[in-house]
């Protein structure tokens, strides 16, 4: 009798795991990260700066420090290695940053029609041929590898080089989401390749950087950030459409697709938090000042939730250089995919999208066989994966936070470069 009761309770606990364990583990992870990282950050919006002053503080000239002086930077430098010290996102303001930012803008500037065509061609060349159960982020990553290879080198990538780019970008985003550890060997294979073929780049690269640094600059901006962000944006848009068949059919209308793209980035902003270091006091009122040296953590999700919408950052403070190119190209790839395939999903869709967008993808004109059964299986698989993944994220995330604190990549870099 007692054994039967214990068994029933154990079974009930086991069956209910997907409903409470992932959430509890995420809460524990957030708590642990806050402990390890310290409480140096000022959350905005928050107690000191509310939604109504979010943009004003983000755009403040003193909200300009990028890496130096923030313990958080050690973690970002760890995730974005190799070459975080020349990654545009992490360069301190100054002539070096200005030249790098100018170069990125020059490379990304092209007419919308050219960008659209380049994206469409990249899809034709690089889309994996599989259908059935797919993960959207993995599905489109080779397409973006092809696209940004063409943008940076002015020519198609070989299968091997595309593989190097995907391995690099996938490793970065997997580590960033704490779903896997970083593998520097995979990343450095791409750096070595880029350094070897650097002379083939048809653009003038920043003269302030040496040869290795130029390879690292290309890697960070075009073969990491560009690929990861474009893949995640495409995965989010397709997840929204896969969950709503009527919307998916209607999205053939360009105007509606524009709206869906905007609304998707409002609900699922790609940046969780962007941080800055105050380089001078920021006076808020007569008796409230943010002291120089404070780390300002701008929370996109909270700001969007309160009605604001800045998918590509703020114009006055290092906005995304792809704010024009990314929407055109993500919509072109989405449009082409929708013309050829139907998407359906029963998986969870969250902002960090750690499940990489599981979907059922079938040729548009194929009859939908065993659709309900497959979607039932997908829902179950997604729920149970969530249980396992949340534990993996807790363990690996804690290890990486610890390892990044140990290596102190950012802190040591600035110590070494101080007079
Ligand atoms: C839909 C896709 C994308 C979204 C939603 C997005 C969003 C953003 C946001 C919000 C920022 C500002 C963060 C801050 O204030 O610190 C940013 C910065 C940046 N993005 Fe994007 N991005 C996307 C695609 C791309 C692509 C395709 C590239 C490629 C080349 C790119 C390169 C960068 C760089 C280099 C920065 C740093 C800018 C600086 O500090 O000067 N992004 N992005």
């Amino acid at each position: 009798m007692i054994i039967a009761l214990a068994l029933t309770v154990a079974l009930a606990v086991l069956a209910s795991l997907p409903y409470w364990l992932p959430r509890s583990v995420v809460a524990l992870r957030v708590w642990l990260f806050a402990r390890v990282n310290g409480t140096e950050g000022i959350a905005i919006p928050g107690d000191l700066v509310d939604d109504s002053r979010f943009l004003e503080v983000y755009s403040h000239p003193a909200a300009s420090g990028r890496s130096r002086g923030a313990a958080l930077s050690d973690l970002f430098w760890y995730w974005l290695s190799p070459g975080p010290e020349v990654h545009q996102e992490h360069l301190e303001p100054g002539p070096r940053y200005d030249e790098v930012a100018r170069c990125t803008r020059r490379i990304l500037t092209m007419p919308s029609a050219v960008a659209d065509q380049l994206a469409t061609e990249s899809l034709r060349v690089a889309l994996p041929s599989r259908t059935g159960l797919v993960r959207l982020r993995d599905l489109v990553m080779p397409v973006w590898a092809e696209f940004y290879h063409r943008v940076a080198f002015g020519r198609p990538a070989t299968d091997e080089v595309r593989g190097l780019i995907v391995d690099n970008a996938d490793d970065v985003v997997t580590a960033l989401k704490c779903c896997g550890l970083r593998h520097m060997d995979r990343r450095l294979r791409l750096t070595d390749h880029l350094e070897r073929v650097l002379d083939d780049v048809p653009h003038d690269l920043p003269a302030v950087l040496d040869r290795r640094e130029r390879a690292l600059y290309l890697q960070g901006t075009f073969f990491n950030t560009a690929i990861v962000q474009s893949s995640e944006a495409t995965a989010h848009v397709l997840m929204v459409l896969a969950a709503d068949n009527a919307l998916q059919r209607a999205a053939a209308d360009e105007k509606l697709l524009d709206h869906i793209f905007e609304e998707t980035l409002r609900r699922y902003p790609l940046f969780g938090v962007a941080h800055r270091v105050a380089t001078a006091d920021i006076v808020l009122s007569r008796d409230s000042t943010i002291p120089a040296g404070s780390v300002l953590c701008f929370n996109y999700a909270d700001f969007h939730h309160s009605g604001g919408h800045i998918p590509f950052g703020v114009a006055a403070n290092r906005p995304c250089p792809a704010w024009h190119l990314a929407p055109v190209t993500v919509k072109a790839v989405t449009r082409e995919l929708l013309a050829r395939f139907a998407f359906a999903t029963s998986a969870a869709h969250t902002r960090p999208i750690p499940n990489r967008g599981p979907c059922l993808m079938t040729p548009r004109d194929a009859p939908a066989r065993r659709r309900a059964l497959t979607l039932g299986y997908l829902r179950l698989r997604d729920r149970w994966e969530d249980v396992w993944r949340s534990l993996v994220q807790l363990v690996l995330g804690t290890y990486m936070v610890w390892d990044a604190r140990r290596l102190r990549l950012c802190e040591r870099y600035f110590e070494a470069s101080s007079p």
Side-chain angles (χ1 to χ4, degrees):
M1 174 71 183
I2 291 181
I3 293 179
L5 191 68
L7 260 174
T8 313
V9 171
L11 272 177
V13 170
L14 193 71
S16 69
L17 279 181
Y19 297 91
W20 59 270
L21 189 74
R23 234 175 307 146
S24 317
V25 174
V26 168
L28 183 61
R29 197 171 85 227
V30 170
W31 180 83
L32 249 171
F33 275 29
R35 292 269 129 165
V36 183
N37 269 330
T39 47
E40 63 171 1
I42 297 177
I44 302 177
D47 294 341
L48 202 58
V49 179
D50 66 11
D51 313 326
S52 68
R53 300 190 72 182
F54 179 97
L55 291 177
E56 177 196 333
V57 175
Y58 207 156
S59 308
H60 195 285
S64 59
R66 198 57 190 96
S67 293
R68 188 179 206 151
L72 259 178
S73 304
D74 281 329
L75 188 57
F76 281 102
W77 282 42
Y78 179 87
W79 276 327
L80 295 181
S81 287
E85 68 283 357
V86 292
H87 195 304
Q88 183 175 335
E89 270 182 59
H90 294 283
L91 278 171
E92 291 301 316
R96 201 169 151 93
Y97 168 77
D98 291 340
E99 196 181 334
V100 164
R102 237 187 339 265
C103 178
T104 306
R105 274 198 302 274
R106 226 176 22 239
I107 296 177
L108 294 179
T109 300
M110 67 185 84
S112 297
V114 172
D116 186 302
Q117 197 189 347
L118 208 58
T120 311
E121 271 171 33
S122 300
L123 179 82
R124 294 207 175 114
V125 171
L127 185 74
S129 57
R130 63 177 179 267
T131 51
L133 282 182
V134 296
R135 308 233 181 211
L136 294 168
R137 195 180 83 197
D138 303 349
L139 182 84
V140 295
M141 212 176 246
V143 175
W144 294 115
E146 178 67 25
F147 178 81
Y148 280 100
H149 188 277
R150 290 176 184 221
V151 168
F153 284 93
R155 61 163 195 242
T158 60
D159 290 350
E160 191 194 344
V161 171
R162 213 184 300 127
L164 286 179
I165 299 171
V166 168
D167 280 354
N168 173 75
D170 186 58
D171 198 65
V172 172
V173 67
T174 303
L176 258 163
K177 298 191 188 264
C178 304
C179 293
L181 295 176
R182 60 177 201 163
H183 299 86
M184 290 308 291
D185 53 336
R186 283 181 208 165
R187 303 181 187 193
L188 289 168
R189 271 203 290 276
L190 178 63
T191 321
D192 292 341
H193 166 77
L194 291 173
E195 194 177 348
R196 266 198 308 276
V197 296
L198 202 64
D199 297 330
D200 299 349
V201 174
H203 310 279
D204 288 333
L205 295 176
V208 279
L209 306 181
D210 66 25
R211 193 175 171 86
R212 183 75 174 174
E213 286 175 333
R214 287 180 201 174
L216 288 167
Y217 154 71
L218 281 182
Q219 180 164 0
T221 299
F222 296 95
F223 300 121
N224 160 6
T225 298
I227 312 282
V228 167
Q229 297 290 65
S230 304
S231 302
E232 293 243 308
T234 318
H236 276 301
V237 172
L238 287 170
M239 277 299 273
V240 166
L241 295 172
D244 185 337
N245 203 23
L247 191 67
Q248 188 175 152
R249 291 184 171 280
D253 174 353
E254 283 279 324
K255 273 220 175 72
L256 186 65
L257 188 57
D258 285 352
H259 175 73
I260 293 167
F261 177 82
E262 281 291 315
E263 179 58 13
T264 301
L265 287 187
R266 191 189 66 74
R267 279 172 59 195
Y268 306 100
L270 297 193
F271 266 70
V273 171
H275 73 273
R276 295 288 188 277
V277 184
T279 47
D281 286 358
I282 299 177
V283 179
L284 297 171
S285 66
R286 222 174 326 142
D287 43 22
S288 170
T289 296
I290 299 177
S294 304
V295 179
L296 313 170
C297 296
F298 297 98
N299 189 314
Y300 277 58
D302 283 357
F303 184 59
H304 285 194
H305 198 69
S306 72
H309 184 33
I310 46 161
F312 294 97
V314 295
N317 192 346
R318 308 171 68 131
C320 180
W323 66 271
H324 174 71
L325 187 68
V328 172
T329 54
V330 169
K331 281 184 286 188
V333 164
T334 306
R335 184 194 64 220
E336 293 297 310
L337 281 171
L338 290 179
R340 288 201 248 157
F341 303 101
F343 295 88
T345 191
S346 50
H349 185 186
T350 59
R351 194 199 67 76
I353 201 167
N355 59 7
R356 318 199 303 279
C359 251
L360 173 63
M361 172 178 165
T362 44
R364 217 165 266 260
D365 42 13
R369 265 180 288 143
R370 293 197 300 252
R371 190 170 179 274
L373 201 67
T374 310
L375 289 179
Y377 162 74
L378 185 61
R379 175 178 293 118
L380 204 68
R381 189 186 77 179
D382 190 55
R383 292 230 155 194
W384 281 99
E385 272 180 2
D386 207 18
V387 172
W388 169 243
R389 192 177 40 239
S390 60
L391 291 169
V392 168
Q393 285 175 302
L394 176 67
V395 175
L396 301 189
T398 307
Y399 169 76
M400 285 190 282
V401 167
W402 170 81
D403 201 27
R405 298 280 289 182
R406 185 179 65 84
L407 293 177
R408 296 190 300 120
L409 294 175
C410 175
E411 206 180 316
R412 290 213 329 247
Y413 173 81
F414 285 109
E415 271 168 19
S417 57
S418 295

